[in-house]
């Protein structure tokens, strides 16, 4: 058994017929915030996520892609996993419903339910929505699905049924005895009245679907996707051997409001039937809407996380998702609001407080954190305000009130700004009294900064770690225990660490344009060949292979390409595009802006003045949202395609044509 108290939380497992958007990212970000918060409160935490890989939709998507289902889902699962890793959201366990350990768990759960008398065979005819993988109760032929609005199909089949009707009273008793099982409160009332309205038995196997987990000895029966999917929470932490891992029951299932019924009615009923422990809480959050409707691939209104993370950093996206909307309610997503909050709260707020505090300590105390001394009533007042914010913020986190937790942290940041403005440490001189006063003010500000940094850490893990090392504080920030956090623990006399860019201010219009351009590149890779773009400076990639005779081009084709000698005038890195450099290149007749995928191999300063070969008649295009008008030629060397710029051994005139 773990020595620490355990906390097991889950995100839903996501469908593999699409790729993650902001809605999915939201749930996973919240789970990650809770995971970090709980660890800072001393829990042993396991967070799981995964992919829901069975069902008709996957069967169809694989068919459209012309590959077997197993290959299709393997590719998609890799995409999901990679994206979560890239965004710093990798779970402790990633469960796929095609994993053998999961298949075994589903079959075991079914066996337990059956042995306990809660499963029987019957026939079912009904209207079925293949998109939501659910029969639509009370629908007639021709009706549309009330959830997604798409037409239902009439389906009759022999099924195994689960006696859900037997669980009306046990469920209602359970909700009564565990009043915090369903959160938030409004959802709880919804579910209670649904259950009070009567429960029909539920068909839990299918014979019309091929791509699913087989019911042992009962082929062609496969499990209904929700019986399959919900069980993943148990398979992720040991399945039939769950007791050994010591994590079950789950402490928290985080879900969107769309799937609360599955989690608070079906899932506890399945577990009760199998006589297994029931999860402690299901929390249903609202949706992020785009133009007032739910994001979906079919509507073409999805917002992708990667371009935002590239442009503003993942911490900015995390902050926005949690700060903008009260947890539990729906909210609108807009790039405008995102960038506004980024500039106001992160660049001007936390970022500015950290950099000006560090700069003043550098200037006045040779970069050593002054000893904390409370000199005047206003210092004391700020100390008290910060101390009492600690309690408030922890309580807000505990109650899943993330927006309010952040609001309380930012109120302290605002108070620090006011304090600095009124104390004006920069206007003080070098007398002993002035130096003492400066030490008191900067010590107070540094201590406040340390505390808000710790409090914000679950939401802003990367940037707060930077502030922590900037303040030269011992250990890692994630190792700080929130329960012991108090005013007065600042390690003084230590040297400031290296200043790192936290949240550089961005121009709103330009940032939005670049995010949208990157999203467009990601969604339409063929329209803007982004993959090629990063290495588009290379003449060829990989080993040189002689083209087949029929692939050879005539001289008239070659002369269509105009190449000239160019000279690099300026070179700079591009925020949000690790591989690209933005160059201005003199090509004789004009100066061009060109993006080149060489940032990992060339320092910008070393390129100034260098003569390069430039393709000058390519149509301009945007790379990571930055206009590129031409292409620099480079060789592609080695298996990773390291670019080596083509150049000249003799002095050549800028603008000379290459033939
Ligand atoms: N596979 C099922 C869940 C099975 S869990 C045992 C499923 N998958 S899903 O891919 O559709 O993702 C569902 C979850 O993604 C929602 O419950 C919600 O948590 C999140 N969101 C998807 N779109 C969303 C928004 N637009 N806004 C917020 N969250 C949303 O259902």
């Amino acid at each position: 058994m773990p020595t620490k108290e355990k906390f097991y939380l889950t995100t839903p497992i996501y469908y593999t017929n699409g790729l993650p958007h902001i809605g999915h990212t939201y749930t996973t970000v919240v789970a990650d915030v809770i995971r970090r918060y709980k660890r800072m409160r001393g829990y042993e935490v396991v967070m799981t996520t995964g992919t829901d890989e069975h069902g008709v939709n996957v069967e169809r998507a694989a068919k459209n892609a012309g590959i077997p289902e197993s290959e299709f889902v393997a590719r998609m699962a890799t995409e999901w996993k990679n994206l979560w890793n890239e965004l710093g959201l990798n779970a402790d366990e990633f469960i796929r419903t095609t994993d053998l350990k999961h298949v075994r768990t589903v079959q075991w759960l079914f066996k337990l339910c059956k042995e306990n008398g809660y499963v029987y065979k019957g026939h079912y005819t009904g209207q079925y929505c293949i998109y939501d993988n659910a029969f639509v109760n009370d629908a007639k032929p021709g009706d549309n699905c009330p959830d997604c609005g798409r037409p239902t199909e009439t389906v009759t089949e022999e099924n195994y049924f689960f006696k859900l009707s037997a669980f009306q009273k046990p469920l209602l008793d359970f909700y009564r005895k565990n009043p915090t099982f369903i959160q938030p409160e409004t959802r709880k009332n919804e579910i209670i009245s649904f259950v009070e309205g009567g429960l029909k038995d539920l068909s839990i196997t299918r014979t019309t679907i091929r791509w699913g987990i087989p019911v042992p000895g009962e082929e062609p029966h496969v499990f209904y996707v929700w019986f399959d999917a919900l069980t993943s929470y148990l398979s992720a932490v040991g399945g039939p051997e769950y007791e050994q891992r010591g994590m079950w029951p789950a402490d928290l299932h985080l879900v969107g409001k769309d799937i609360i019924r599955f989690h608070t009615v079906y899932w506890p009923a399945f577990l009760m039937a199998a006589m297994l422990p029931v999860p402690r809480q299901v929390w249903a959050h609202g949706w992020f809407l785009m133009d007032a409707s739910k994001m979906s691939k079919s509507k073409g209104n999805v917002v992708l996380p990667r371009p935002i993370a590239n442009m503003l950093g993942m911490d900015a996206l995390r902050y926005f998702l949690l700060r903008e909307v009260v947890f539990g309610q729906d909210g609108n997503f807009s790039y405008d609001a995102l960038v506004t909050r980024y500039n106001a709260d992160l660049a001007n707020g936390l970022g500015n407080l950290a950099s000006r505090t560090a700069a003043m300590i550098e200037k006045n105390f040779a970069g050593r954190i002054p000893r904390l001394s409370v000199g005047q009533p206003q210092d004391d007042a700020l100390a008290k305000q910060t101390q009492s914010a600690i309690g408030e913020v922890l309580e807000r986190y505990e109650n899943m009130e993330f927006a309010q937790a952040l609001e309380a942290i930012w109120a302290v940041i605002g108070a620090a700004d006011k304090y600095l403005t009124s104390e004006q440490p920069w206007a003080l001189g070098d007398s002993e009294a002035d130096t003492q006063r400066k030490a008191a003010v900067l010590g107070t500000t540094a201590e406040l900064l340390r505390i808000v940094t710790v409090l914000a850490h679950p939401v802003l893990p990367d940037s707060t770690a930077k502030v922590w090392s900037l303040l030269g504080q011992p250990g890692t920030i994630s190792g700080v225990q929130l329960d012991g956090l108090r005013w007065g623990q600042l390690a003084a006399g230590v040297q400031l660490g290296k200043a790192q860019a936290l949240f550089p201010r961005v121009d709103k219009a330009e940032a939005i344009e670049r995010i949208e351009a990157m999203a467009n590149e990601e969604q339409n890779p063929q329209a803007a060949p982004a993959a090629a773009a990063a290495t588009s400076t290379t003449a060829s990639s990989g080993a040189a292979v002689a083209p087949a005779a029929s692939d050879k081009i005539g001289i008239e084709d070659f002369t269509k390409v105009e190449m000239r000698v160019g000279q690099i005038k300026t070179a700079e890195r591009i925020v949000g595009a690790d591989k690209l450099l933005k160059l201005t290149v003199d090509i004789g007749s004009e100066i061009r802006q060109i993006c080149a995928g060489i940032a990992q191999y060339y320092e910008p300063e070393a390129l100034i003045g260098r003569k390069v070969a430039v393709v000058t008649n390519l149509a301009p295009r945007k790379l990571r949202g930055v206009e590129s008008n031409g292409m620099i030629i480079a060789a592609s060397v080695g298996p990773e395609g390291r670019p080596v710029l083509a150049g000249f051994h003799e002095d050549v005139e800028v603008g000379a044509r290459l033939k």
Side-chain angles (χ1 to χ4, degrees), residues 551-568:
D551 292 340
K552 291 195 173 160
I553 58 167
I555 187 75
E556 66 290 351
D557 286 326
F558 178 71
T559 52
K560 283 185 197 152
V561 181
E562 185 186 278
M563 281 188 279
R564 292 188 182 275
V565 176
Q567 186 169 35
I568 299 176

Side-chain angles (χ1 to χ4, degrees), residues 11-17 21-27 51-52 80 226 229-233 254-259 263 285-289 293-296:
T11 77
I13 53 169
Y14 300 103
Y15 287 132
T16 43
N17 51 335
H21 59 60
I22 285 292
H24 311 116
T25 311
Y26 182 47
T27 315
T51 39
D52 191 350
W80 279 81
W226 278 98
L230 289 161
T231 308
S232 67
Y233 298 135
L254 272 177
V255 298
K257 64 178 186 181
D258 45 335
I259 55 174
H263 284 79
H285 63 70
W287 287 338
F288 260 100
L289 308 170
S293 71
K294 188 174 180 235
M295 274 174 226
S296 80

Side-chain angles (χ1 to χ4, degrees), residues 91-166:
D92 305 298
E93 300 284 343
F94 187 99
I95 190 89
R96 297 181 51 193
T97 54
T98 49
D99 287 341
L100 198 60
K101 65 176 180 185
H102 171 71
V103 170
R104 270 182 61 223
T105 307
V106 172
Q107 294 174 338
W108 168 74
L109 184 69
F110 176 75
K111 191 168 146 268
L112 292 180
C113 293
K114 199 160 167 237
E115 280 169 3
N116 293 340
Y118 292 108
V119 168
Y120 63 93
K121 213 177 220 179
H123 278 90
Y124 185 83
T125 299
Q127 292 306 115
Y128 189 75
C129 172
I130 56 155
Y131 297 97
D132 293 334
N133 288 306
F135 278 104
V136 179
N137 285 338
D138 308 324
K140 298 177 300 304
D143 283 356
N144 288 339
C145 168
D147 285 333
C148 71
R150 288 179 273 206
T152 57
E153 294 177 9
T154 307
V155 173
T156 297
E157 49 175 32
E158 184 193 63
N159 287 166
Y160 273 103
F161 280 80
F162 176 79
K163 277 193 201 163
L164 187 62
S165 54

